[in-house]
Structures are given as C-alpha cells and as structure tokens.
Amino acid sequence: MKQLSVLFAAVLLFFATGTVSAQKIATLDVESVLNAMPEKKAADEKLNALQKVKESEIKKQADDLQALVQKYQGEASKQTEAVNQQREQEVQKKQSDIQQMVQLAQKDMADKSSVEYAPIKKKFNEAVTAVA
C-alpha cells in the first residue's frame, strides 16, 4: 500500500512539473508601452485638439445664455407676463440645446477615440501575439 502511495505521488509530481514547464508567463506594462508609441501620442494630440474645440463651443453657448438670462432678469419688471413667459421658454430651449451639445460632444469624442485608437490597439495586439 505504501508503494502505491509513493508511485501515485511520483506520477502526480511528474504531470505537475510537465504542466508548469509548458506554461509561459509574462508581465507587461501596457500603459508604458502604449505611451511610448508615436501613434498614440499623435492620436492623443488630435483628441485633445477636438476636446478643446468642443469645450470652447459649449462655453461660448453657455456664456451667451448667461448674458441673455441677465438681460432678461434686468428687463423682467418692465415686460408683460406674456413676454416674460416667452423669454423663459427661450431660456429653457437654449439650456436644452446646450445639454444636447454636451451629449453630442461626448459621443463625438468617444467615436473619434475609437477610430484613433483602433489601429494602435491592433498594432499592439499583433506585437504581443508575435512575441508570445
């Protein structure tokens, strides 16, 4: 019985070492590899430029809305109730338009990011596969 236990342990040890030696293990700092790629730097610059454009458009609209609100608040006491209601609706529409601009800008940024980073991810994955 003792010989059977020793034989079983030896067989188990043999298979365990065979399995371990067949595995390849590696670590990779993906962020540092991607940051070193010139393609990623160019994509980041394009995305940052697009983000600045979108932010400036939204800021301009928000500033215009703020000026309009201040103007309407200053004139509210001199206007009729109907005019004030019309102006309030106009302000609400502009607020809604700005919210839509923000949502569209976020969608545009996500779409542009996917387009810009897709070839970079593909190149990275091909390089990792070639090394592995």
Side-chain angles (χ1 to χ4, degrees):
M1 185 71 173
K2 187 173 184 177
Q3 290 176 339
L4 186 59
S5 295
V6 172
L7 179 62
F8 179 70
V11 170
L12 185 62
L13 185 60
F14 173 74
F15 283 121
T17 58
T19 304
V20 171
S21 64
Q23 292 178 346
K24 293 181 182 179
I25 299 174
T27 59
L28 179 62
D29 186 2
V30 175
E31 186 175 345
S32 65
V33 172
L34 288 175
N35 287 335
M37 295 176 70
E39 296 94 338
K40 181 170 183 304
K41 292 177 184 176
D44 286 344
E45 288 174 4
K46 288 180 185 178
L47 291 172
N48 287 338
L50 178 63
Q51 182 179 9
K52 287 179 183 178
V53 168
K54 296 290 184 183
E55 285 176 352
S56 67
E57 291 172 356
I58 292 168
K59 184 174 180 346
K60 182 183 180 308
Q61 291 294 324
D63 291 345
D64 290 347
L65 175 63
Q66 186 63 31
L68 187 66
V69 167
Q70 288 177 350
K71 176 185 171 195
Y72 286 172
Q73 285 176 345
E75 298 174 351
S77 61
K78 301 173 188 171
Q79 300 296 325
T80 65
E81 185 67 29
V83 171
N84 285 337
Q85 286 180 351
Q86 179 185 9
R87 288 180 171 186
E88 184 177 329
Q89 290 174 352
E90 182 181 344
V91 167
Q92 289 174 352
K93 174 147 180 20
K94 287 187 181 275
Q95 287 174 334
S96 175
D97 291 346
I98 291 172
Q99 288 175 348
Q100 288 177 350
M101 281 182 69
V102 169
Q103 291 172 350
L104 182 61
Q106 290 172 343
K107 183 183 179 303
D108 288 348
M109 287 297 298
D111 292 346
K112 185 70 171 176
S113 176
S114 295
V115 168
E116 291 293 327
Y117 290 140
I120 297 167
K121 290 177 183 178
K122 181 180 178 188
K123 182 178 179 181
F124 177 78
N125 288 335
E126 288 172 353
V128 169
T129 303
V131 172

